């Protein structure tokens, strides 16, 4: 009888946990659906509403108005489960982003030059301005065990991120994916930011330069193996789906297992599973039937069920009430200014130098300034590793919300509908015909 008693106890504990997690998930989905719909009504991307929902369910609003209820819903037992779900969701989402990433459109040197100019202008000004602000604020905002270089570099790298999946979704929704600005992607910015984070993580763990070099070397080896050996091994799978039109459970088992294994490996070497998921997406077959089937099977579940959990998990760590008063408001405005000016002004000025009109240049600058989900992933890793404080985390979450919310109004101001329609119908000439890397079709 003793084993049965143990089994009953274990079953009761599992049921008790389920009865705590399920109400939290229902509340998360309801808040995300409502805020996402409201965002669309005010002509903002749905993801902005989902980001706001995460903040609202945290201590700033829900916790301030109904503290007992908030603690009852998001208990200490529930949070680890939410963390696991959010990690799986992020890994799968970054995988889908990778599958939607088009490596090249074969447009020639001019397009590559323009995309490179945009990438550099999207990284360098924000990185330098952010690092300068981080250097100035280190003594006031940083943890005592974090060096000035680490803190400054982290702030600069966080501000250099562009949410290229979200940018891609906006362009596709507006049928601009094949326009001059639609062919300029922000993916290099994100790739650079993840490399920066890998180096910072290695330094922070106490391994020094040797550990950082080991992490970078293993990351490079992983990417090479995935994009050569694994990619070639997967080509017959893509050809079979293209030929038969069938994408069944066997294919899904293989793909999902590969993504999770890639995430596990990158977690193990210290750069987190999101990078592994993205590289696994890049390694997938590029057959249109294969990619369409994959997206139709996975995208809705990931975006509707798992990503809102991540936004709320971020929101539970975001306390905006602590930013009131000049002691925190002043540093926040400095960080926001550095991020906004670095991206918007830097990208707009660079696009103007390669022949785009001022309207098109400012439109590109506004879209590149949207940080969306990417910066939230970045700063959550920084908080989990102890590289930033709770106050800095909250500031950077608010920067993500503000810059993402400003993207579409600034875009519409720079490129009203009559000018946008000309681009859609391909009336531009000269340098505005140049194109390069197309943005991925999967995006937030």
């Amino acid at each position: 009888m003793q084993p049965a008693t143990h089994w009953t106890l274990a079953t009761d504990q599992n049921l008790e946990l389920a009865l705590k997690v399920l109400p939290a998930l229902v509340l998360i989905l309801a808040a995300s659906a409502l805020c996402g719909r409201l965002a669309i009504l005010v002509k903002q991307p749905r993801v902005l509403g989902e980001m706001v929902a995460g903040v609202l369910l945290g201590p700033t609003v829900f916790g301030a108005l109904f503290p007992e209820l908030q603690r009852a819903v998001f208990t200490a037992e529930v949070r680890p489960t939410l963390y696991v779900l959010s990690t799986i969701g992020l890994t799968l989402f970054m995988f889908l982003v990778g599958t939607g990433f088009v490596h090249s459109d074969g447009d020639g040197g001019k397009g590559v030059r323009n995309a490179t100019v945009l990438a550099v202008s999207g990284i360098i000004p924000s990185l330098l301005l952010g690092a300068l602000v981080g250097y100035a604020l280190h003594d006031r905002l940083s943890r005592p065990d974090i060096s000035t270089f680490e803190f400054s570099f982290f702030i600069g790298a966080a501000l250099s991120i562009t949410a290229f999946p979200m940018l891609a979704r906006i362009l596709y929704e507006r049928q601009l994916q094949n326009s001059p600005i639609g062919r300029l992607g922000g993916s290099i910015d994100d790739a650079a930011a993840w490399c920066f984070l890998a180096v910072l993580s290695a330094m922070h763990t106490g391994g020094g330069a040797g550990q950082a070099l080991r992490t970078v070397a293993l990351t490079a080896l992983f990417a090479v193996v995935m994009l050569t050996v694994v990619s070639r091994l997967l080509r017959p799978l893509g050809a079979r789906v293209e030929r038969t039109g069938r994408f069944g459970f066997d294919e899904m088992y293989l793909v999902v297992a590969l993504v999770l294994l890639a995430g596990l490996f990158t977690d193990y070497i210290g750069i987190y599973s999101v990078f592994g998921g993205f590289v696994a997406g890049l390694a997938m077959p590029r057959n249109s039937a294969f990619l369409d089937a994959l997206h139709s099977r996975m995208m809705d579940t990931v975006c509707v069920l798992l990503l809102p959990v991540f936004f709320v998990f971020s929101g539970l760590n975001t306390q905006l009430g602590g930013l009131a008063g000049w002691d925190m408001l002043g540093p926040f405005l400095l960080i926001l200014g550095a991020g906004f000016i670095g991206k918007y002004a830097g990208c707009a000025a660079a696009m103007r130098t390669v022949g785009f009109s001022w309207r098109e240049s400012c439109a590109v600058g506004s879209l590149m300034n949207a940080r969306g989900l990417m910066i939230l992933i970045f700063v959550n890793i920084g908080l989990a590793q102890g590289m930033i404080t709770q106050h800095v985390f909250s500031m950077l979450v608010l920067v993500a919300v503000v810059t993402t919310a400003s993207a579409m109004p600034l875009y519409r101001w720079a490129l009203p509908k009559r000018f946008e329609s000309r681009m859609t119908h391909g009336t531009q000439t000269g340098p505005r015909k140049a194109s390069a890397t197309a943005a991925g079709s999967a995006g937030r």
Side-chain angles (χ1 to χ4, degrees):
M1 295 299 294
Q2 189 67 21
T5 303
H6 283 306
W7 170 252
T8 303
L9 180 61
T11 304
D12 289 344
Q13 289 174 338
N14 293 334
L15 178 60
E16 184 178 348
L17 179 60
L19 291 175
K20 291 178 180 178
V21 171
L22 293 178
L25 289 177
V26 171
L27 178 60
I28 290 169
L29 295 180
S32 299
L34 176 61
C35 292
R37 173 52 57 183
L38 291 175
I40 292 173
L41 290 177
V42 296
K43 299 183 178 180
Q44 289 283 0
R46 180 183 291 274
V47 65
L48 179 64
E50 294 167 351
M51 291 168 63
V52 172
V55 175
L56 294 178
L57 289 179
T60 304
V61 178
F62 187 35
L65 296 177
F66 308 102
E68 295 298 327
L69 181 58
Q70 204 249 11
R71 283 194 291 271
V73 174
F74 300 111
T75 65
E77 296 169 284
V78 168
R79 293 189 184 209
T81 303
L82 297 182
Y83 173 76
V84 173
L85 289 174
S86 67
T87 299
I88 294 172
L90 288 177
T91 304
L92 292 175
F93 175 73
M94 290 303 294
F95 163 73
L96 293 172
V97 170
T99 62
F101 181 76
V102 181
H103 302 278
S104 174
D105 63 2
D107 224 30
K110 232 183 227 187
V112 173
R113 181 200 66 182
N114 288 353
T116 302
V117 169
L118 178 62
V120 172
S121 65
I123 297 170
I124 301 300
S126 297
L127 180 65
L128 293 179
L129 284 175
L132 184 63
V133 169
Y135 178 82
L137 297 175
H138 174 264
D139 292 341
R140 186 185 300 188
L141 296 181
S142 178
R143 292 164 52 104
D145 58 327
I146 302 298
S147 69
T148 302
F149 174 79
E150 284 183 74
F151 182 75
S152 303
F153 198 30
F154 184 92
I155 298 296
L159 296 182
S160 70
I161 289 177
T162 290
F164 82 90
M166 180 177 168
L167 183 153
R169 176 60 62 87
I170 292 171
L171 292 170
Y172 270 75
E173 286 177 353
R174 306 184 76 82
Q175 298 182 347
L176 290 173
Q177 67 271 24
N178 294 315
S179 70
I181 65 172
R183 296 178 186 272
L184 298 169
S187 55
I188 296 177
D189 299 36
D190 289 345
W194 297 125
C195 291
F196 296 155
L197 185 59
V199 173
L200 284 170
S201 297
M203 293 175 59
H204 183 66
T205 56
Q211 179 67 25
L213 288 174
R214 174 183 172 275
T215 300
V216 172
L218 286 174
T219 302
L221 178 63
F222 166 75
V224 169
V225 170
M226 289 294 294
L227 298 179
T228 55
V229 178
V230 176
S231 180
R232 287 194 182 97
L233 291 175
L234 289 172
R235 285 176 188 172
L237 175 64
R240 185 168 71 248
V241 173
E242 188 82 26
R243 185 178 63 256
T244 64
R246 183 179 179 279
F247 190 94
F249 286 134
D250 292 338
E251 289 80 8
M252 280 295 295
Y253 279 129
L254 176 62
V255 168
V256 173
L258 179 63
V259 175
L260 295 181
L261 281 173
L264 174 64
F265 180 78
T266 50
D267 256 334
Y268 176 75
I269 64 175
I271 58 170
Y272 279 81
S273 59
V274 291
F275 185 82
F278 178 69
V279 175
L282 292 178
M284 287 294 116
R286 313 317 287 179
N287 311 66
S288 59
F290 177 86
L291 296 178
D292 289 345
L294 193 62
H295 279 236
S296 66
R297 286 289 187 92
M298 295 181 66
M299 183 63 81
D300 288 349
T301 300
V302 171
C303 291
V304 171
L305 177 61
L306 298 176
L307 281 186
V309 175
F310 168 73
F311 290 126
V312 171
F313 190 81
S314 299
L316 294 176
N317 292 316
T318 304
Q319 176 55 272
L320 300 182
L323 302 185
W326 181 248
D327 284 349
M328 288 298 166
L329 181 60
F332 164 71
L333 292 176
L334 282 175
I335 294 173
L336 176 63
F340 184 86
I341 294 171
K343 280 286 184 185
Y344 185 82
C347 293
M351 288 297 93
R352 181 59 182 156
T353 63
V354 296
F356 283 70
S357 71
W358 272 118
R359 284 190 179 278
E360 292 168 338
S361 299
C362 291
V364 170
S366 64
L367 293 179
M368 291 290 287
N369 205 40
R371 289 171 173 84
L373 175 61
M374 297 298 130
I375 189 174
L376 293 186
I377 301 173
F378 193 94
V379 299
N380 269 275
I381 293 173
L383 182 66
Q385 289 200 340
M387 287 188 277
I388 54 175
T389 65
Q390 197 79 45
H391 280 312
V392 174
F393 175 84
S394 298
M395 289 180 189
L396 290 172
V397 169
L398 194 53
V399 167
V401 172
V402 172
T403 56
T404 302
S406 69
M408 284 310 298
L410 287 172
Y411 171 85
R412 294 191 192 98
W413 171 79
L415 208 63
K417 199 164 185 64
R418 64 183 185 277
F419 291 97
E420 186 184 70
S421 61
R422 294 178 191 173
M423 297 182 66
T424 305
H425 291 91
T427 58
Q428 287 81 3
T429 59
R432 291 189 286 278
K433 283 287 185 184
S435 62
T437 303
S441 61
R444 298 288 283 175

